[in-house]
Amino acid sequence: MNAKTIRRGPVRRGLRGTLTGAAVITALLAATACQPAGGEDQGAAPTSVAPSAVSPSDGAGSKSAEPTGDSGTGTGSGPSKDATGDSGETGGGNGTAYPDCKVTDLNTAVELQDPAGETPRHFLLTVTNGTKTPCVLNDAPLIRLRAGNDAPIVETLGEPDAEPVVVEGDGRAYAGLYVFGNDEGGEAQYDQSDRFTATLVAGEGTELGGTLVFDLPDRLDSVSYDDAARVTGWGGTEGLVMRPINQL
């Protein structure tokens, strides 16, 4: 009896242990079947991969760029012109910063260029600015060899310099004059002049600026002239105006 009783005890305990172990395994399998693959917790939100994007804090994307203050680009206007600069024009439109010369401010002189004994033909006309302020002579003087405004104007020799001549205060300007081209001698009668007149041209070339009178040198009472007479434009030196005249 005792022996049986002793034997049943281990069997019962072993069966109970077997059943208990089987129950535990069954429970574990049931719990495992309820969880998703990979061992993730169903209580957590599913993980998704977002597309790459630039954060607005990076200064890109849809964020507007801040103004740079660069005036050198865009539609801003450029530097304005200097309002105090020299415009290169005067009221007379002579293209300089100085006014046209006034006949009342100019002193005149005439110098014969031919040697004594030869027919007077070549003359140097000189004007002196009697003021301390520079003034301007334009184009060529309108020379008449006979009195009166109806007298013909001497033709200009070549094209006068397009640049006006600035006569400094107490300075001088010059024009060359050729008056007589007829070489016939004898007792022929020619037109005579005892002075030259020179009307100044205004800067715009549409108006006149008064008339100067050039008296002949002391040893000449009059000179012969004809339609060969020519005059140069105003120049700043004697040589500049006399070289072309001396070739006539």
Side-chain angles (χ1 to χ4, degrees), residues 68-112:
T68 62
D70 182 7
S71 61
T73 59
T75 58
S77 61
S80 60
K81 293 182 179 178
D82 185 1
T84 62
D86 179 13
S87 65
E89 292 291 339
T90 66
N94 63 32
T96 77
Y98 307 109
D100 287 345
C101 294
K102 297 178 180 179
V103 295
T104 53
D105 295 333
L106 299 176
N107 300 312
T108 62
V110 179
E111 183 180 344
L112 176 63

Short mmCIF file of all heavy atoms in Angstrom, two decimals, residues 68-112:
data_model
loop_
_atom_site.label_atom_id
_atom_site.label_comp_id
_atom_site.label_asym_id
_atom_site.label_seq_id
_atom_site.Cartn_x
_atom_site.Cartn_y
_atom_site.Cartn_z
N THR A 68 17.70 93.27 -49.95
CA THR A 68 19.13 93.42 -49.67
C THR A 68 19.56 94.87 -49.62
O THR A 68 20.67 95.16 -49.19
CB THR A 68 19.95 92.71 -50.76
OG1 THR A 68 19.68 93.35 -52.02
CG2 THR A 68 19.58 91.24 -50.84
N GLY A 69 18.73 95.77 -50.14
CA GLY A 69 19.13 97.16 -50.16
C GLY A 69 20.13 97.49 -51.24
O GLY A 69 20.75 98.54 -51.23
N ASP A 70 20.35 96.60 -52.19
CA ASP A 70 21.32 96.82 -53.26
C ASP A 70 20.70 97.70 -54.33
O ASP A 70 19.83 97.27 -55.07
CB ASP A 70 21.73 95.46 -53.86
CG ASP A 70 22.76 95.63 -54.94
OD1 ASP A 70 23.24 96.77 -55.13
OD2 ASP A 70 23.10 94.62 -55.58
N SER A 71 21.15 98.94 -54.43
CA SER A 71 20.58 99.87 -55.41
C SER A 71 21.11 99.63 -56.80
O SER A 71 20.69 100.26 -57.75
CB SER A 71 20.90 101.31 -55.01
OG SER A 71 22.30 101.51 -54.97
N GLY A 72 22.08 98.72 -56.93
CA GLY A 72 22.66 98.49 -58.24
C GLY A 72 21.90 97.50 -59.08
O GLY A 72 22.31 97.21 -60.20
N THR A 73 20.80 96.94 -58.56
CA THR A 73 20.04 95.97 -59.33
C THR A 73 18.58 96.35 -59.31
O THR A 73 18.17 97.27 -58.61
CB THR A 73 20.23 94.56 -58.75
OG1 THR A 73 19.77 94.57 -57.40
CG2 THR A 73 21.66 94.11 -58.83
N GLY A 74 17.79 95.60 -60.05
CA GLY A 74 16.36 95.83 -60.05
C GLY A 74 15.99 97.03 -60.90
O GLY A 74 16.70 97.42 -61.81
N THR A 75 14.87 97.65 -60.58
CA THR A 75 14.36 98.75 -61.40
C THR A 75 14.66 100.11 -60.80
O THR A 75 14.16 101.11 -61.26
CB THR A 75 12.84 98.60 -61.55
OG1 THR A 75 12.24 98.60 -60.25
CG2 THR A 75 12.50 97.31 -62.27
N GLY A 76 15.47 100.17 -59.78
CA GLY A 76 15.79 101.45 -59.17
C GLY A 76 16.53 102.34 -60.14
O GLY A 76 17.26 101.88 -61.00
N SER A 77 16.38 103.65 -60.02
CA SER A 77 17.05 104.59 -60.92
C SER A 77 18.51 104.70 -60.56
O SER A 77 18.91 104.51 -59.43
CB SER A 77 16.38 105.97 -60.82
OG SER A 77 16.48 106.47 -59.50
N GLY A 78 19.33 105.05 -61.57
CA GLY A 78 20.76 105.20 -61.37
C GLY A 78 21.06 106.54 -60.74
O GLY A 78 20.17 107.30 -60.37
N PRO A 79 22.38 106.85 -60.65
CA PRO A 79 22.76 108.12 -60.04
C PRO A 79 22.21 109.29 -60.84
O PRO A 79 22.22 109.28 -62.06
CB PRO A 79 24.30 108.08 -60.11
CG PRO A 79 24.64 106.64 -60.29
CD PRO A 79 23.49 106.04 -61.03
N SER A 80 21.74 110.30 -60.17
CA SER A 80 21.23 111.48 -60.87
C SER A 80 22.38 112.32 -61.35
O SER A 80 23.47 112.30 -60.79
CB SER A 80 20.34 112.30 -59.92
OG SER A 80 21.10 112.72 -58.81
N LYS A 81 22.14 113.07 -62.43
CA LYS A 81 23.18 113.93 -62.97
C LYS A 81 23.44 115.08 -62.00
O LYS A 81 22.56 115.56 -61.32
CB LYS A 81 22.75 114.48 -64.33
CG LYS A 81 22.64 113.40 -65.40
CD LYS A 81 22.25 114.00 -66.74
CE LYS A 81 22.17 112.93 -67.81
NZ LYS A 81 21.75 113.49 -69.12
N ASP A 82 24.71 115.49 -62.00
CA ASP A 82 25.10 116.58 -61.13
C ASP A 82 24.44 117.87 -61.60
O ASP A 82 24.77 118.41 -62.64
CB ASP A 82 26.63 116.71 -61.17
CG ASP A 82 27.13 117.75 -60.20
OD1 ASP A 82 26.29 118.35 -59.49
OD2 ASP A 82 28.35 117.95 -60.13
N ALA A 83 23.54 118.38 -60.81
CA ALA A 83 22.80 119.58 -61.21
C ALA A 83 23.68 120.82 -61.23
O ALA A 83 23.36 121.81 -61.86
CB ALA A 83 21.61 119.80 -60.26
N THR A 84 24.83 120.75 -60.51
CA THR A 84 25.69 121.92 -60.46
C THR A 84 26.81 121.86 -61.47
O THR A 84 27.61 122.77 -61.55
CB THR A 84 26.31 122.05 -59.06
OG1 THR A 84 27.11 120.90 -58.80
CG2 THR A 84 25.23 122.15 -58.00
N GLY A 85 26.87 120.79 -62.26
CA GLY A 85 27.96 120.67 -63.24
C GLY A 85 27.77 121.60 -64.40
O GLY A 85 26.71 122.16 -64.65
N ASP A 86 28.88 121.79 -65.13
CA ASP A 86 28.86 122.67 -66.29
C ASP A 86 28.10 122.00 -67.43
O ASP A 86 28.47 120.94 -67.89
CB ASP A 86 30.31 122.97 -66.71
CG ASP A 86 30.38 123.87 -67.92
OD1 ASP A 86 29.35 124.47 -68.27
OD2 ASP A 86 31.48 123.99 -68.49
N SER A 87 27.04 122.63 -67.88
CA SER A 87 26.23 122.05 -68.94
C SER A 87 26.86 122.23 -70.31
O SER A 87 26.42 121.66 -71.29
CB SER A 87 24.83 122.69 -68.94
OG SER A 87 24.93 124.06 -69.28
N GLY A 88 27.92 123.05 -70.38
CA GLY A 88 28.58 123.27 -71.66
C GLY A 88 27.83 124.23 -72.55
O GLY A 88 28.16 124.40 -73.72
N GLU A 89 26.81 124.87 -72.03
CA GLU A 89 26.04 125.80 -72.85
C GLU A 89 25.86 127.12 -72.08
O GLU A 89 25.86 127.15 -70.86
CB GLU A 89 24.67 125.22 -73.18
CG GLU A 89 24.72 124.03 -74.10
CD GLU A 89 25.16 124.40 -75.51
OE1 GLU A 89 25.03 125.58 -75.87
OE2 GLU A 89 25.63 123.52 -76.23
N THR A 90 25.71 128.20 -72.83
CA THR A 90 25.36 129.47 -72.24
C THR A 90 24.06 129.93 -72.89
O THR A 90 23.53 129.25 -73.76
CB THR A 90 26.46 130.52 -72.49
OG1 THR A 90 26.52 130.77 -73.90
CG2 THR A 90 27.81 130.02 -72.02
N GLY A 91 23.61 131.10 -72.51
CA GLY A 91 22.40 131.62 -73.12
C GLY A 91 22.56 131.79 -74.62
O GLY A 91 21.61 131.67 -75.38
N GLY A 92 23.82 132.07 -75.07
CA GLY A 92 24.06 132.25 -76.49
C GLY A 92 24.29 130.97 -77.23
O GLY A 92 24.40 130.97 -78.46
N GLY A 93 24.42 129.87 -76.51
CA GLY A 93 24.61 128.58 -77.14
C GLY A 93 25.95 128.42 -77.84
O GLY A 93 26.04 127.75 -78.85
N ASN A 94 27.02 129.02 -77.28
CA ASN A 94 28.32 128.90 -77.95
C ASN A 94 29.10 127.66 -77.53
O ASN A 94 30.22 127.45 -77.98
CB ASN A 94 29.16 130.17 -77.74
CG ASN A 94 29.50 130.43 -76.28
OD1 ASN A 94 29.66 129.50 -75.49
ND2 ASN A 94 29.60 131.70 -75.89
N GLY A 95 28.54 126.85 -76.65
CA GLY A 95 29.18 125.59 -76.27
C GLY A 95 30.25 125.71 -75.22
O GLY A 95 30.97 124.74 -74.96
N THR A 96 30.41 126.86 -74.59
CA THR A 96 31.41 127.02 -73.54
C THR A 96 30.74 127.58 -72.28
O THR A 96 29.54 127.86 -72.27
CB THR A 96 32.53 127.99 -73.96
OG1 THR A 96 32.05 129.35 -73.85
CG2 THR A 96 33.00 127.71 -75.38
N ALA A 97 31.55 127.76 -71.25
CA ALA A 97 31.02 128.32 -70.01
C ALA A 97 31.08 129.84 -70.01
O ALA A 97 30.72 130.47 -69.01
CB ALA A 97 31.83 127.78 -68.83
N TYR A 98 31.51 130.44 -71.13
CA TYR A 98 31.71 131.89 -71.18
C TYR A 98 30.75 132.55 -72.17
O TYR A 98 30.31 131.93 -73.14
CB TYR A 98 33.15 132.21 -71.58
CG TYR A 98 34.17 131.51 -70.72
CD1 TYR A 98 34.93 130.46 -71.22
CD2 TYR A 98 34.35 131.88 -69.38
CE1 TYR A 98 35.85 129.81 -70.42
CE2 TYR A 98 35.26 131.23 -68.58
CZ TYR A 98 36.01 130.20 -69.10
OH TYR A 98 36.91 129.54 -68.30
N PRO A 99 30.46 133.84 -71.95
CA PRO A 99 29.56 134.54 -72.87
C PRO A 99 30.27 134.95 -74.15
O PRO A 99 31.51 134.97 -74.22
CB PRO A 99 29.15 135.78 -72.06
CG PRO A 99 30.33 136.05 -71.17
CD PRO A 99 30.87 134.68 -70.80
N ASP A 100 29.50 135.27 -75.17
CA ASP A 100 30.07 135.83 -76.39
C ASP A 100 30.72 137.18 -76.08
O ASP A 100 30.27 137.91 -75.20
CB ASP A 100 28.99 136.03 -77.45
CG ASP A 100 28.51 134.72 -78.05
OD1 ASP A 100 29.19 133.69 -77.87
OD2 ASP A 100 27.44 134.73 -78.70
N CYS A 101 31.76 137.49 -76.84
CA CYS A 101 32.41 138.80 -76.67
C CYS A 101 31.47 139.92 -77.13
O CYS A 101 30.72 139.77 -78.10
CB CYS A 101 33.70 138.85 -77.49
SG CYS A 101 34.99 137.71 -76.93
N LYS A 102 31.55 141.04 -76.43
CA LYS A 102 30.79 142.23 -76.81
C LYS A 102 31.72 143.20 -77.53
O LYS A 102 32.88 143.37 -77.14
CB LYS A 102 30.21 142.91 -75.57
CG LYS A 102 29.21 142.05 -74.80
CD LYS A 102 28.72 142.79 -73.56
CE LYS A 102 27.73 141.95 -72.77
NZ LYS A 102 27.28 142.67 -71.55
N VAL A 103 31.21 143.82 -78.59
CA VAL A 103 32.07 144.73 -79.35
C VAL A 103 32.56 145.89 -78.48
O VAL A 103 33.64 146.45 -78.72
CB VAL A 103 31.33 145.27 -80.59
CG1 VAL A 103 31.06 144.13 -81.56
CG2 VAL A 103 30.03 145.98 -80.21
N THR A 104 31.79 146.25 -77.46
CA THR A 104 32.19 147.36 -76.60
C THR A 104 33.37 146.99 -75.69
O THR A 104 33.99 147.88 -75.09
CB THR A 104 31.01 147.81 -75.73
OG1 THR A 104 30.47 146.67 -75.05
CG2 THR A 104 29.92 148.43 -76.59
N ASP A 105 33.66 145.69 -75.59
CA ASP A 105 34.76 145.24 -74.73
C ASP A 105 36.03 144.92 -75.52
O ASP A 105 37.04 144.54 -74.92
CB ASP A 105 34.34 143.99 -73.94
CG ASP A 105 33.22 144.27 -72.95
OD1 ASP A 105 33.11 145.43 -72.50
OD2 ASP A 105 32.45 143.33 -72.65
N LEU A 106 35.97 145.03 -76.84
CA LEU A 106 37.10 144.62 -77.68
C LEU A 106 37.80 145.84 -78.30
O LEU A 106 37.15 146.77 -78.78
CB LEU A 106 36.63 143.69 -78.80
CG LEU A 106 35.99 142.37 -78.36
CD1 LEU A 106 35.48 141.61 -79.58
CD2 LEU A 106 36.96 141.51 -77.57
N ASN A 107 39.12 145.80 -78.28
CA ASN A 107 39.93 146.80 -78.96
C ASN A 107 40.49 146.18 -80.24
O ASN A 107 40.81 144.99 -80.26
CB ASN A 107 41.08 147.28 -78.07
CG ASN A 107 40.58 147.91 -76.78
OD1 ASN A 107 39.68 148.74 -76.80
ND2 ASN A 107 41.16 147.50 -75.65
N THR A 108 40.59 146.97 -81.31
CA THR A 108 40.98 146.43 -82.61
C THR A 108 42.30 147.01 -83.11
O THR A 108 42.68 148.13 -82.74
CB THR A 108 39.89 146.72 -83.66
OG1 THR A 108 39.75 148.15 -83.81
CG2 THR A 108 38.55 146.12 -83.23
N ALA A 109 42.97 146.22 -83.95
CA ALA A 109 44.21 146.68 -84.58
C ALA A 109 44.39 145.94 -85.89
O ALA A 109 43.90 144.81 -86.05
CB ALA A 109 45.40 146.45 -83.67
N VAL A 110 45.08 146.56 -86.86
CA VAL A 110 45.35 145.97 -88.17
C VAL A 110 46.85 146.08 -88.45
O VAL A 110 47.45 147.14 -88.26
CB VAL A 110 44.57 146.69 -89.29
CG1 VAL A 110 44.91 146.06 -90.65
CG2 VAL A 110 43.08 146.63 -89.04
N GLU A 111 47.43 144.98 -88.93
CA GLU A 111 48.86 144.98 -89.27
C GLU A 111 49.04 144.47 -90.70
O GLU A 111 48.58 143.38 -91.04
CB GLU A 111 49.62 144.09 -88.29
CG GLU A 111 51.12 144.08 -88.52
CD GLU A 111 51.86 143.19 -87.53
OE1 GLU A 111 51.25 142.84 -86.49
OE2 GLU A 111 53.02 142.84 -87.80
N LEU A 112 49.71 145.29 -91.53
CA LEU A 112 50.00 144.89 -92.90
C LEU A 112 51.12 143.85 -92.90
O LEU A 112 52.13 144.01 -92.22
CB LEU A 112 50.44 146.12 -93.72
CG LEU A 112 50.87 145.86 -95.16
CD1 LEU A 112 49.72 145.31 -95.99
CD2 LEU A 112 51.46 147.15 -95.77
#
